[in-house]
Amino acid sequence: ERRATGTGTPRWGFSPPGTSLLQEVVYLVSQGADPDEIGLMNIDEQLPVLEYPQPGLDIIKELTSPRLIKSHLPYRFLPSDLHNGDSKVIYMARNPKDLVVSYYQFHRSLRTMSYRGTFQEFCRRFMNDKLGYGSWFEHVQEFWEHRMDSNVLFLKYEDMHRDLVTMVEQLARFLGVSCDKAQLEALTEHCHQLVDQCCNAEALPVGRGRVGLWKDIFTVSMNEKFDLVYKQKMGKCDLTFDFYL
């Protein structure tokens, strides 16, 4: 998510459920909230999306600091506060094969998008940078280039499943949340509950939040083509992903 003006607290992701899960974990860590309470609230009202017309920039500006604001915008299009280091940014990247599968399911689930093409067609559009918010390859590399900025925390979705304890510690430290060992353990346990709830939600396609989702839908030829495009578009970037755990 990210904040609009002044000082505050930012962060983002490219598509659900990584985005949804990150915003809930960040809200829990920053606010000390209970996971059951988060399940009962409209989390999107607590973390408005910067570029959406609702609730709008005027409402966002009225929020009290520190504000939690979400965005999917590329780094270059974010407000100058972020570029100047006046706001914090938490960015979560997910391995692109799982991401494109989840993104496809997300497009098919929304009436407003009502995408009815095949996964092969959708994946082709993804590889050719023909989906909303532009090229994922440029998006993730641009944030990766700023990973060492003091106001940027670059996270990977797969690490949330492999080592949630370390991720919660990183988030707490980055957000300036002080907690002792017992509090940290409680926070981590609550985050585990959120991960389980998100990845096993009945409203989502089965297993959409798991790592290695792509293996159930990619054909051999699709995988070979994707690997070739990935290698070409990522160039000499040293960012790596885990495609299964």
Side-chain angles (χ1 to χ4, degrees):
E1 287 53 281
R2 43 131 283 132
R3 18 161 336 196
T5 59
T7 57
T9 315
R11 39 227 109 219
W12 10 91
F14 201 80
S15 84
T19 306
S20 301
L21 184 53
L22 176 62
Q23 69 182 28
E24 295 194 12
V25 168
V26 167
Y27 186 83
L28 188 154
V29 173
S30 64
Q31 306 296 319
D34 185 287
D36 292 331
E37 292 180 3
I38 292 180
L40 296 174
M41 68 171 63
N42 183 347
I43 192 67
D44 291 328
E45 292 181 356
Q46 310 301 319
L47 293 90
V49 180
L50 175 68
E51 60 268 25
Y52 286 5
Q54 295 294 332
L57 284 178
D58 290 340
I59 299 298
I60 290 178
K61 290 178 181 178
E62 294 177 2
L63 296 177
T64 57
S65 184
R67 297 175 293 180
L68 301 176
I69 305 171
K70 175 179 169 183
S71 176
H72 299 85
L73 293 173
Y75 184 87
R76 74 191 80 123
F77 293 142
L78 296 176
S80 57
D81 277 9
L82 297 171
H83 299 161
N84 297 335
D86 295 329
S87 296
K88 294 182 179 181
V89 183
I90 297 174
Y91 183 90
M92 177 168 280
R94 187 178 187 182
N95 88 65
K97 292 182 182 179
D98 282 346
L99 184 144
V100 71
V101 175
S102 179
Y103 207 20
Y104 168 71
Q105 294 172 338
F106 177 65
H107 273 67
R108 287 180 61 84
S109 70
L110 291 185
R111 292 181 181 179
T112 52
M113 293 182 179
S114 62
Y115 182 81
R116 292 296 173 263
T118 65
F119 173 69
Q120 287 85 349
E121 293 168 340
F122 188 87
C123 190
R124 191 178 304 117
R125 292 180 64 86
F126 179 87
M127 291 187 291
N128 292 328
D129 308 328
K130 299 298 184 182
L131 295 177
Y133 291 100
S135 169
W136 172 87
F137 303 94
E138 293 180 3
H139 196 287
V140 73
Q141 288 184 81
E142 196 169 24
F143 275 96
W144 181 247
E145 291 173 359
H146 290 276
R147 69 190 183 282
M148 301 306 293
D149 293 359
S150 61
N151 68 317
V152 175
L153 178 61
F154 190 104
L155 302 175
K156 295 181 183 178
Y157 179 83
E158 292 73 27
D159 291 337
M160 193 179 301
H161 291 265
R162 179 179 40 233
D163 191 358
L164 185 58
V165 174
T166 298
M167 181 170 290
V168 171
E169 291 176 342
Q170 287 179 300
L171 283 169
R173 186 164 54 249
F174 185 71
L175 294 172
V177 176
S178 58
C179 50
D180 57 29
K181 183 177 180 180
Q183 292 171 321
L184 188 61
E185 290 177 351
L187 261 181
T188 302
E189 177 54 35
H190 287 166
C191 288
H192 269 300
Q193 292 179 39
L194 286 178
V195 172
D196 290 341
Q197 289 170 9
C198 180
C199 295
N200 299 309
E202 294 181 1
L204 295 176
V206 178
R208 185 172 139 206
R210 66 184 171 85
V211 179
L213 180 66
W214 64 274
K215 293 184 292 182
D216 296 337
I217 190 169
F218 271 64
T219 63
V220 172
S221 60
M222 283 178 62
N223 190 49
E224 291 176 347
K225 175 62 176 176
F226 196 100
D227 285 346
L228 180 61
V229 171
Y230 179 86
K231 184 176 181 180
Q232 292 173 339
K233 290 183 177 288
M234 295 301 282
K236 297 179 180 179
C237 180
D238 59 352
L239 171 61
T240 60
F241 289 99
D242 291 319
F243 290 90
Y244 33 67
L245 295 180

